[in-house]
Amino acid sequence: MDVKAYGLTHVGRQRQHNEDAFLVEDDARLFLVADGMGGHAAGEIASRIAVDSISEFILHTKEDDGTWPHAYDEHFRRSTNRLMAAVRMANSRVLEAMRKDARLRGMGTTVVACLADEGTVSVAHVGDSRAYLIRAGQLSRITNDHSWVFEQVQAGMLTEAEAEKHPLRNVITRALGGALQVTPDASETEAQKGDVFLLCSDGLTGMVPESEILRIVTANDGDLQKACQQLIDAANERGGLDNVTAVLVKTV
Ligand code: CA
């Protein structure tokens, strides 16, 4: 199975800096979105470190390396374990940057990472950047946000509608740079031809309802570039309160 992909980011209509970063690496079939946070441009640095270190790890470790000096979760295939190890290494890199430069203290970043290997698409994430699967006209969310409001919804303490308006909706409970060890959540999807995976920052999902995201992606099924542009435009038309990033990956 082959994939084609496209990604786009925009500063939005309210912010001075774009702290989101993304990567579309067709050859390695690696796709990333990271959403940085922290003052004085530190958010931009954190998301850049995450993207660079994950891609470096994936590009420089081979699938068939005989040794594996990292944690290994036997519930997942090798490619998923590589992706999770890459995310954990990115956490170390963000922490290391803060140790070296006091001005970066307090920075952090989310990441949602997608690696396609043969017919299996692995997704690993930390924070509230999301992955969705659009298949047969349906949109399903692959990731569960590591955010305070999401956890309240899961515990039955808030409704989804309350969570969307809640003053603490931007509080994330897991991030790269937040602790010495980070545990990414991971999943594996057996891809079908024509599947579209969307990776995005909360600047998209906080502004644009899922029904509209689905409509845009399915209306531009053959044109990922146009679909990405329309997703960005939709976020900005609704106020563009945050940086917005969308990466679309289609199996063909
Ligand atoms: Ca954001």
Side-chain angles (χ1 to χ4, degrees):
M1 191 168 297
D2 221 346
V3 297
K4 59 175 193 167
Y6 191 80
L8 208 54
T9 189
H10 191 273
V11 68
R13 295 177 60 190
Q14 299 290 331
R15 303 277 175 98
Q16 300 296 318
H17 297 272
N18 191 345
E19 298 182 319
D20 288 359
F22 75 93
L23 177 87
V24 171
E25 180 60 66
D26 287 315
D27 289 343
R29 301 159 125 216
L30 173 69
F31 310 97
L32 304 169
V33 168
D35 176 352
M37 61 213 84
H40 305 290
E44 287 159 82
I45 293 169
S47 58
R48 178 49 52 193
I49 291 171
V51 164
D52 288 350
S53 58
I54 291 170
S55 63
E56 183 193 323
F57 186 96
I58 296 296
L59 298 179
H60 293 130
T61 61
K62 294 226 169 50
E63 185 70 13
D64 56 0
D65 268 357
T67 57
W68 184 257
H70 310 285
Y72 197 90
D73 184 337
E74 63 195 15
H75 297 100
F76 293 114
R77 54 195 278 132
R78 180 90 177 193
S79 53
T80 309
N81 273 283
R82 289 172 73 215
L83 197 56
M84 293 165 79
V87 170
R88 286 191 293 263
M89 195 191 72
N91 183 58
S92 303
R93 290 280 174 84
V94 173
L95 290 168
E96 189 186 323
M98 281 192 279
R99 270 199 303 274
K100 285 183 179 160
D101 185 345
R103 289 169 299 178
L104 302 179
R105 272 194 205 136
M107 73 175 179
T109 184
T110 73
V111 72
V112 57
C114 171
L115 181 66
D117 176 51
E118 294 167 2
T120 304
V121 174
S122 304
V123 170
H125 87 290
V126 173
D128 65 355
S129 298
R130 292 181 178 176
Y132 288 95
L133 169 63
I134 295 113
R135 173 184 285 173
Q138 305 267 359
L139 178 94
S140 49
R141 189 170 36 74
I142 295 172
T143 52
N144 288 329
D145 295 352
H146 301 137
S147 72
W148 186 84
V149 289
F150 193 92
E151 288 167 8
Q152 296 299 306
V153 170
Q154 289 205 309
M157 305 299 282
L158 287 177
T159 66
E160 296 238 1
E162 286 168 340
E164 280 171 21
K165 308 272 179 227
H166 200 282
L168 297 180
R169 65 186 176 277
N170 293 324
V171 174
I172 62 173
T173 50
R174 230 186 279 183
L176 301 187
L180 277 180
Q181 303 287 336
V182 72
T183 307
D185 284 345
S187 65
E188 296 170 343
T189 303
E190 293 310 313
Q192 297 175 9
K193 200 172 169 187
D195 282 350
V196 179
F197 293 84
L198 165 65
L199 310 181
C200 59
S201 62
D202 70 333
L204 179 69
T205 50
M207 306 302 299
V208 184
E210 290 179 349
S211 57
E212 179 65 4
I213 291 173
L214 174 63
R215 192 198 62 74
I216 289 170
V217 174
T218 49
N220 297 284
D221 191 40
D223 192 338
L224 299 181
Q225 185 172 351
K226 203 167 154 198
C228 281
Q229 186 62 58
Q230 288 188 13
L231 290 171
I232 303 282
D233 291 347
N236 284 330
E237 280 158 17
R238 286 168 170 78
L241 297 181
D242 197 358
N243 309 142
V244 54
T245 305
V247 170
L248 290 169
V249 182
K250 182 172 183 178
T251 55
V252 291

